């Protein structure tokens, strides 16, 4: 399947700081999805992007679908301790409706 | 809406036994369900795609005779790990996608909470 490169691998920040993470693909996507996973839980969908250039917000989270359709970024503004978790980007796999996931960005927020 | 449940949430079994994990879509009909496996501190890796009423499609390297998948209804898929061994210990996560009054698109998968399998 397509390779998704997600960076950074981990982030350790102070409460109130803004966070930015990104994902690049080896091939063109028509959909980008961002998920958050907390320990011992399944991933929860944060934002779905369907058009190149699209910028979508969900509360303090903002994600953009890159113009080249090979990248996406997720920003979190004014981070809070409950933002802690692993954030995954995902895009459609070659086979049907399955998803390929990036390796994740682990976010730690100190009060 | 778009709730997916898994049962059990965790299971410990002896090597050589079989374990069945259920995945249910609670408020929508899931035409397709997916099974993923996640090892500690790693990403989700797709194991198989399951369409209601048909045989599952397995990813390369996943043994279909070891990981039996049944998707007998539009709200239930099961994964049976047969003759489990310690190396099968992992976090198994299902997801579902389908149509629910336009809420879901084919690219939006909703995930269950996962099942932690430990094989002794």
């Amino acid at each position: 399947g397509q390779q998704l490169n997600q960076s950074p691998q981990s982030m350790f920040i102070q409460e109130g700081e803004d966070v930015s993470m990104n994902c690049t693909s080896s091939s063109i996507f028509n959909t980008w999805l961002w998920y958050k996973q907390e320990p011992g839980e399944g991933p929860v969908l944060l934002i779905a992007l369907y058009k190149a250039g699209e910028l979508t917000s969900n509360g303090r989270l903002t994600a953009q679908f890159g113009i080249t359709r090979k990248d996406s970024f997720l920003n979190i503004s004014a981070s809070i301790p409950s933002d802690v978790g692993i954030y995954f980007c995902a895009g459609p796999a070659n086979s049907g409706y399955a998803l390929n996931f990036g390796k994740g960005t682990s976010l730690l927020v100190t009060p | 809406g778009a709730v997916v449940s898994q049962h059990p949430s965790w299971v410990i079994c002896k090597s050589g036994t079989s374990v069945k994990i259920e995945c249910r879509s609670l408020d929508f009909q899931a035409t397709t369900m997916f099974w993923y496996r996640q090892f500690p501190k790693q990403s989700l890796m797709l194991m198989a795609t399951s369409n209601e009423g048909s045989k599952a499609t397995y990813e390369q390297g996943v043994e279909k005779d070891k990981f039996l998948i049944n998707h007998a209804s539009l709200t239930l898929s099961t994964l049976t790990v047969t003759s489990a061994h310690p190396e099968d210990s992992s976090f198994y996560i299902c997801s579902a996608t389908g149509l629910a009054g336009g809420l879901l698109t084919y690219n939006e998968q909703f995930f269950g909470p996962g099942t932690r399998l430990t094989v002794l």
Side-chain angles (χ1 to χ4, degrees):
Chain A
Q2 301 95 324
Q3 274 199 317
L4 292 183
N5 297 307
Q6 189 171 346
S7 65
Q9 185 175 1
S10 62
M11 301 182 75
F12 186 70
I13 62 171
Q14 279 196 318
E15 183 177 2
E17 290 184 12
D18 296 342
V19 171
S20 184
M21 59 192 79
N22 69 77
C23 208
T24 60
S25 168
S26 58
S27 55
I28 289 173
F29 279 173
N30 54 28
T31 300
W32 280 99
L33 304 168
W34 285 94
Y35 290 88
K36 178 187 178 186
Q37 185 180 30
E38 298 188 14
E41 300 287 335
V44 173
L45 181 66
L46 299 174
I47 293 178
L49 302 163
Y50 299 105
K51 292 182 183 177
E54 179 181 353
L55 184 71
T56 298
S57 293
N58 178 6
R60 293 178 294 106
L61 278 62
T62 302
Q64 185 158 28
F65 193 146
I67 293 290
T68 65
R69 296 170 61 193
K70 288 187 174 184
D71 64 322
S72 177
F73 72 74
L74 175 70
N75 284 347
I76 305 174
S77 63
S79 59
I80 59 178
S82 61
D83 290 333
V84 166
I86 303 178
Y87 292 80
F88 291 99
C89 61
N94 283 329
S95 54
Y97 307 140
L99 293 175
N100 276 336
F101 283 83
K103 292 189 183 299
T105 295
S106 177
L107 178 64
L108 290 175
V109 181
T110 58
Chain B
V3 178
V4 177
S5 70
Q6 276 184 248
H7 178 80
S9 55
W10 58 270
V11 57
I12 301 173
C13 69
K14 291 183 179 180
S15 186
T17 60
S18 295
V19 175
K20 181 186 282 188
I21 301 170
E22 293 185 349
C23 177
R24 292 182 186 274
S25 57
L26 299 185
D27 52 2
F28 67 101
Q29 293 186 324
T31 53
T32 304
M33 288 183 168
F34 304 89
W35 287 96
Y36 294 84
R37 180 166 53 183
Q38 186 179 31
F39 292 108
K41 296 189 179 181
Q42 294 192 21
S43 189
L44 285 77
M45 298 301 295
L46 180 68
M47 298 176 65
T49 300
S50 168
N51 291 300
E52 185 266 338
S54 60
K55 289 184 179 179
T57 302
Y58 291 81
E59 295 300 297
Q60 192 171 9
V62 178
E63 300 175 57
K64 63 179 181 181
D65 294 330
K66 181 168 183 65
F67 298 99
L68 301 178
I69 291 172
N70 183 283
H71 191 163
S73 78
L74 284 172
T75 59
L76 173 64
S77 175
T78 60
L79 167 68
T80 301
V81 184
T82 62
S83 186
H85 288 102
E87 57 266 30
D88 297 325
S89 298
S90 187
F91 194 50
Y92 291 86
I93 307 173
C94 72
S95 70
T97 188
L99 298 174
L103 175 64
L104 304 178
T105 72
Y106 79 98
N107 272 327
E108 288 179 333
Q109 294 182 31
F110 290 86
F111 288 80
T115 295
R116 172 74 59 193
L117 170 63
T118 301
V119 184
L120 303 177

